[in-house]
Amino acid sequence: MNDEFLHQIRIEPPRRFIAALKARLDRTDLRRTKRMWFRHSFIAAAIGISGLAVAIMVVNLNRTPIAGSNAIAPPRPAASDGYSATPHGSSASGNGTVGPQPTAPSPNQANSSVSAGTPIKPMPDSGVLVFEGMRIMGPSALAVSLKETTRILNISRPFTEPTFSIADSDSAIAALCNVSRPIEHNFGTFAGAADAVGATRRISNEELKRCESNGVKHVAEIKLGYLAVVLARSRLYPALNLTARDLFLALAREIPDPEQPQRLIANPNVTWNQVNSALAAERIDISGPALDSDTVTVFRDLIMEPGCSTFASLAALKEKDRIRYDDVCKSLRSDGIYHGMNSDLFGQLDAHPESLALVDFRYFAANGAHLIGVSVDEVEPSSTALYAGSYPGSRPLYLYANVPRVLVVPRMREFVSVLQGSIGYGSGSSSPISGSESDRRESREAALNLPDVKL
Amino acid sequence: MTLHGATSEPGAMTQTSLIDWDKVYVEHAPRVYNYFRFRLGIHADIEELTSRTFEKAWRSRTQYRHELAGISTWLFKIAQNVAIDHVRARRNHLPIYEALQLPTPDTPEKDAERGSNLARLTALTKTLPDRERDLLALKYGAVANNREIAKLTGLSESNVGTLLHRLVQTLRAQW
């Protein structure tokens, strides 16, 4: 037993309890605010009534001629001031009005009257005073955690769901750094800034400098967790080792022609030995979730794209034509080699030795009794490999926050903190996996204090 | 504790209104929660005691004067009082077995391990005086440093260090 051991007995309080208590405290605030509002209203009403009473008294005094006196009316303002003199030159006109009556207002008065009657327009969007809701960009897998975070924050009081745009790391970080040029992407065009972004890589020095030159001077980094996918087979059969390149050649819609690598052809591979002569002459048969699912998106990003980049001609395409590059590197074939999952997945995998299934890491970890993971580039999928960053099917997921926005975006700090705590929860497929215990401790600190990123 | 834009202007309202109470809650709720786990070892009441602490703090936060005590010190002083009240009320029937009923933080295996460790620790510390249990709870449950503990217990900082060192040695010998 030592300090470390004793500290490890600590646990995270149940999130249900933390959220419920916060909601209760917020309601206490609300009740107090209401009480204060009633108290202030009462005082204001009392002051108003007293003021009115005094005003009426003063008016009555003015209207009552002092007996025996020769009251002299005060001098009238000239008509050129915008006020006409009373018809009879008397201060007490007898019609209940006191003082001068307006006629045509002067230009100045016209201006002031317009400005007084016009609702105050919000300041043009300076990025400081106008709140339009939190804007977040990042990988689609972040959506599950964002929804969970919104749900938790809504328990205490209404919370506007942030606008979330799916974007790859490059586009997301560019948006964080307030780059004004439109960013073309498969999913659309992004031109604006983002308050916080998710990225599956760390921000680079160049990007940080660009942020700074664009006025985003404080960027905080929070390591949220990991994204990971696994190709698995039944435990009845031996482990399998494939490379990202093998998997690209097995599953891509188009691949380089072996005869003319510059030319792309429809993927003709149907057996593993066509992909790589060192592999068995077994049929390629991979089942998985829908092509637009988060799991497949992560697979495209983490396995397909790196496999694609092993071809020099395709890697060069990234710089030349990003949209075409994404299309070639991330498109899965639709000829039946990749197909939907059987409702009895374990039965299917047990019955077919050649069958593989694409699943997210959490599902794989929870079903270790049935599934064995395919090693990618000779690294087995495991928590240890994932935390060490050696498993190609996983990437750390970072959140980068534009720190000054915390001061103007309501509840943004709370949002970041709850988001960090929400990682690893939620039922969506391919939602991020929380990091190791030390990772979690560090990211919790970072989410609370939002220190500037250090590279 | 960070006070956003805290000034030296007099007036408690001005000071407290500048504190980010959401942040205070997020940062301190787990510490207070674990303080009670270590201090009392009774899961059934931990949520209730944590709630009571924060409700008391929230009700009186407009009176909080940061120049007199840091937020941690102020909050844990409230937690200590809540714990003392609780111990007084239940001194004669402290159900140690309840310590086994712990929340689920990570994996079931990890949870079971932590649960049994806390139960064992609770059993070992049940004969200790309240002050020693409080020291352990502040150090390992609330993760307070020796200076904060000294402020909360009225002991000197070096005394806190010495007492904790002896306590851990004693527990290690009995573990």
Side-chain angles (χ1 to χ4, degrees):
Chain A
M1 179 197 279
N2 55 16
D3 273 15
E4 179 69 13
F5 173 82
L6 285 164
H7 277 300
Q8 279 176 0
I9 299 179
R10 294 182 88 246
I11 59 166
E12 280 301 302
R15 292 179 317 126
R16 158 199 58 75
F17 162 68
I18 290 292
L21 174 57
K22 184 69 171 56
R24 231 171 30 242
L25 296 173
D26 286 343
R27 278 198 297 276
T28 311
D29 277 352
L30 197 64
R31 279 199 296 275
R32 176 180 298 168
T33 309
K34 277 183 183 168
R35 275 203 303 274
M36 293 288 281
W37 186 84
F38 280 124
R39 194 178 299 164
H40 289 158
S41 303
F42 178 77
I43 293 168
I47 292 170
I49 290 167
S50 310
L52 190 64
V54 170
I56 290 168
M57 209 165 67
V58 169
V59 168
N60 284 340
L61 279 175
N62 282 344
R63 289 178 64 184
T64 309
I66 299 167
S69 71
N70 291 320
I72 298 168
R76 315 270 174 280
S80 62
D81 289 345
Y83 293 91
S84 65
T86 50
H88 302 292
S90 163
S91 66
S93 62
N95 60 1
T97 55
V98 179
Q101 297 298 304
T103 54
S106 70
N108 283 345
Q109 286 164 336
N111 284 343
S112 64
S113 116
V114 167
S115 56
T118 308
I120 296 166
K121 287 181 182 171
M123 284 184 69
D125 189 359
S126 60
V128 174
L129 291 178
V130 181
F131 171 60
E132 295 168 330
M134 209 183 307
R135 294 160 298 176
I136 295 180
M137 291 173 73
S140 59
L142 198 54
V144 176
S145 301
L146 291 176
K147 285 222 173 295
E148 176 72 0
T149 304
T150 304
R151 189 187 67 75
I152 291 171
L153 290 174
N154 255 323
I155 293 173
S156 57
R157 55 183 191 269
F159 175 76
T160 311
E161 188 170 358
T163 312
F164 178 58
S165 312
I166 296 169
D168 62 15
S169 302
D170 296 351
S171 310
I173 292 174
L176 179 80
C177 296
N178 209 14
V179 176
S180 56
R181 71 179 168 80
I183 300 151
E184 295 291 335
H185 191 271
N186 276 356
F187 301 99
T189 302
F190 301 109
D195 300 316
V197 298
T200 54
R201 63 168 175 80
R202 293 194 77 191
I203 195 169
S204 68
N205 252 325
E206 291 70 35
E207 285 166 328
L208 262 184
K209 280 178 192 155
R210 200 183 312 152
C211 270
E212 197 166 344
S213 65
N214 284 338
V216 182
K217 294 188 189 300
H218 299 284
V219 174
E221 178 188 77
I222 299 130
K223 189 175 180 182
L224 291 176
Y226 295 86
L227 297 179
V229 290
V230 176
L231 270 169
R233 76 190 310 189
S234 167
R235 269 210 174 271
L236 298 177
Y237 309 108
L240 188 62
N241 179 43
L242 297 169
T243 62
R245 186 185 174 102
D246 293 339
L247 287 165
F248 171 75
L249 288 173
L251 285 174
R253 189 186 60 205
E254 294 174 287
I255 59 168
D257 184 346
E259 307 294 321
Q260 294 174 276
Q262 297 295 329
R263 199 168 71 95
L264 292 170
I265 54 169
N267 193 340
N269 300 327
V270 290
T271 57
W272 285 106
N273 64 342
Q274 290 174 319
V275 163
N276 178 345
S277 56
L279 296 172
E282 283 180 354
R283 192 166 54 93
I284 303 170
D285 175 36
I286 299 176
S287 59
L291 292 179
D292 60 352
S293 66
D294 290 332
T295 304
V296 174
T297 304
V298 173
F299 178 74
R300 293 174 206 267
D301 290 345
L302 302 188
I303 306 279
M304 292 281 286
E305 191 190 338
C308 174
S309 299
T310 59
F311 293 92
S313 58
L314 295 178
L317 193 61
K318 187 174 185 179
E319 296 302 318
K320 283 189 236 159
D321 186 348
R322 182 64 193 264
I323 292 174
R324 177 69 181 138
Y325 169 82
D326 280 350
D327 187 45
V328 173
C329 291
K330 297 183 181 181
S331 292
L332 265 67
R333 62 201 297 181
S334 54
D335 53 4
I337 295 280
Y338 179 87
H339 55 85
M341 277 182 181
N342 191 315
S343 58
D344 176 18
L345 178 66
F346 301 146
Q348 181 197 337
L349 295 180
D350 285 351
H352 299 95
E354 72 281 11
S355 284
L356 301 179
L358 174 64
V359 294
D360 71 275
F361 187 86
R362 277 207 289 173
Y363 181 86
F364 166 72
N367 292 287
H370 299 280
L371 302 174
I372 186 167
V374 172
S375 299
V376 180
D377 296 335
E378 299 192 339
V379 182
E380 268 182 57
S382 68
S383 300
T384 315
L386 200 116
Y387 296 153
S390 56
Y391 175 60
S394 78
R395 287 277 190 286
L397 176 64
Y398 296 94
L399 184 79
Y400 290 99
N402 181 349
V403 178
R405 291 285 293 175
V406 168
L407 299 173
V408 290
V409 177
R411 303 179 77 188
M412 181 167 160
R413 183 187 286 276
E414 194 185 355
F415 178 85
V416 170
S417 188
V418 175
L419 174 64
Q420 182 275 324
S422 301
I423 298 299
Y425 294 91
S427 54
S429 62
S430 273
S431 56
I433 301 148
S434 60
S436 63
E437 199 162 323
S438 62
D439 272 351
R440 287 204 301 273
R441 202 177 306 132
E442 279 171 25
S443 64
R444 195 161 48 237
E445 285 291 311
L448 279 172
N449 300 315
L450 300 178
D452 284 356
V453 58
K454 286 192 179 74
L455 294 176
Chain B
M1 183 49 49
T2 309
L3 294 173
H4 296 286
T7 66
S8 57
E9 289 169 15
M13 278 296 284
T14 313
Q15 300 288 0
T16 51
S17 62
L18 295 171
I19 297 170
D20 184 345
W21 289 101
D22 285 344
K23 189 184 170 197
V24 169
Y25 177 77
V26 170
E27 190 177 332
H28 285 83
R31 295 181 65 195
V32 172
Y33 184 90
N34 278 290
Y35 166 75
F36 284 122
R37 283 180 71 241
F38 275 76
R39 178 74 175 80
L40 304 165
I42 307 165
H43 168 58
D45 284 323
I46 301 305
E47 293 186 2
E48 168 60 24
L49 297 172
T50 307
S51 301
R52 211 180 293 166
T53 303
F54 276 96
E55 279 160 5
K56 278 189 174 188
W58 251 234
R59 270 199 304 275
S60 58
R61 64 185 174 168
T62 50
Q63 274 91 50
Y64 164 68
R65 302 278 301 274
H66 86 91
E67 67 274 22
L68 298 181
I71 284 192
S72 290
T73 311
W74 171 68
L75 205 52
F76 280 106
K77 203 74 207 168
I78 296 172
Q80 278 179 313
N81 288 332
V82 169
I84 289 167
D85 289 347
H86 177 82
V87 170
R88 276 184 193 149
R90 300 179 57 124
R91 187 171 287 281
N92 296 326
H93 45 91
L94 200 65
I96 298 297
Y97 64 86
E98 284 188 24
L100 292 167
Q101 300 169 16
L102 295 163
T104 314
D106 295 319
T107 60
E109 296 81 11
K110 198 102 176 166
D111 175 36
E113 186 188 326
R114 283 175 175 159
S116 80
N117 285 340
L118 182 68
R120 184 121 189 242
L121 184 68
T122 307
L124 288 180
T125 56
K126 70 178 176 182
T127 53
L128 289 175
D130 278 349
R131 188 187 68 174
E132 271 70 9
R133 296 184 72 176
D134 203 37
L135 282 176
L136 276 177
L138 288 168
K139 182 71 179 179
Y140 301 106
V143 205
N145 59 35
N146 288 4
R147 181 170 297 177
E148 285 176 307
I149 297 173
K151 278 183 191 165
L152 284 161
T153 54
L155 297 166
S156 70
E157 210 176 317
S158 59
N159 206 355
V160 168
T162 311
L163 282 171
L164 279 168
H165 180 69
R166 282 188 199 148
L167 265 172
V168 174
Q169 275 189 329
T170 309
L171 291 172
R172 190 184 293 147
Q174 294 173 351
W175 195 258

